Amino acid sequence: DFDVHIVMNYRGDPPHMDLDNLAKALLDSAVGAAFHDDSQVARLLVERRLSDHEGIWMRIAPMIVSSED
């Protein structure tokens, strides 16, 4: 399973983009490169942030399973 964090940084007015659509497009783009299927994503955080620098970034990491789980 994977943990995915997606951030859209913007300047000015917030963009008219649904964050769920952004997440779906980015997750689809990672299939075959980071994981076999986006159903392997166990945790997903998607944010839109006011920033001095515009851009979109995505971090994908394997979930850490502790011995207590």
Side-chain angles (χ1 to χ4, degrees):
D1 287 350
F2 292 88
D3 175 24
V4 179
H5 186 186
I6 299 170
V7 176
M8 173 199 293
N9 289 333
Y10 69 94
R11 292 186 296 176
D13 294 330
H16 296 285
M17 174 182 275
D18 294 337
L19 291 180
D20 59 327
N21 292 336
L22 173 65
K24 182 65 177 155
L26 290 173
L27 291 174
D28 287 347
S29 74
V31 170
F35 39 74
H36 298 293
D37 187 85
D38 58 7
S39 66
Q40 292 176 275
V41 175
R43 183 180 327 166
L44 175 62
L45 174 61
V46 185
E47 301 178 80
R48 182 172 51 216
R49 296 180 185 166
L50 183 61
S51 175
D52 292 333
H53 305 284
E54 293 185 327
I56 297 171
W57 61 266
M58 175 169 63
R59 181 186 58 81
I60 301 172
M63 294 284 291
I64 306 297
V65 179
S66 71
S67 59
E68 297 174 7
D69 288 345

